[in-house]
């Protein structure tokens, strides 16, 4: 009976260690792309033009490889943005038209995004 209890305890410990290690690895890429940045934001649409320096920009994971960019300055957010990981420190938008460019490279965020008569530009925002 003691042997059975020891074997059962060992199996439970192995399962717990394996499942914890798997959970840590699965979200690391998304977490690295998401974050807070400080930089200059330029936004323009049909009725509004904004140019603000030293502003907070947050990149948040919506689900999987889909992200949301929040600006907190009365500027509309960019939602449903797909980012592809190029290497350990670089994520690039999945847009093929060239109108929705978002790039996170190391500690830098660059945005040149145009959609529905709106334009967002962020050059070299720095990870906060």
């Amino acid at each position: 009976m003691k042997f059975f209890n020891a074997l059962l305890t060992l199996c439970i410990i192995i399962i717990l260690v394996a499942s914890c290690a798997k959970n840590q690895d699965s979200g690391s890429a998304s977490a690295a792309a998401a974050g807070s940045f400080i930089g200059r934001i330029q936004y323009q649409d049909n009725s509004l033009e904004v140019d603000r320096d030293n502003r907070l920009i947050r990149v948040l994971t919506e689900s999987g490889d889909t992200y949301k960019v929040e600006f907190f300055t009365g500027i509309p957010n960019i939602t449903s943005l797909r980012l592809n990981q190029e290497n350990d420190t670089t994520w690039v938008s999945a847009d093929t038209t060239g109108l929705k460019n978002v790039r996170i490279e190391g500690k830098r965020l660059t945005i040149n995004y145009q959609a529905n008569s709106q334009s967002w530009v962020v050059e070299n925002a720095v990870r906060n």
Side-chain angles (χ1 to χ4, degrees), residues 44-107:
Q44 183 175 351
D45 67 16
N46 292 332
S47 61
L48 179 65
E49 189 170 329
V50 177
D51 187 349
R52 296 188 177 138
D53 202 6
N54 294 321
R55 297 297 175 172
L56 177 64
I57 305 157
R58 286 183 52 195
V59 178
L60 304 170
T61 304
E62 285 184 337
S63 65
D65 64 350
T66 305
Y67 295 84
K68 171 177 154 180
V69 181
E70 291 183 338
F71 295 100
F72 298 104
T73 56
I75 296 172
N77 297 330
I78 298 173
T79 58
S80 301
L81 174 67
R82 293 183 59 112
L83 293 177
N84 295 327
Q85 187 172 5
E86 286 189 344
N87 59 44
D88 289 344
T89 62
T90 304
W91 291 264
V92 179
S93 56
D95 177 55
T96 57
T97 65
L99 297 175
K100 298 178 179 179
N101 295 317
V102 176
R103 183 175 189 88
I104 300 171
E105 192 167 14
K107 294 183 177 186

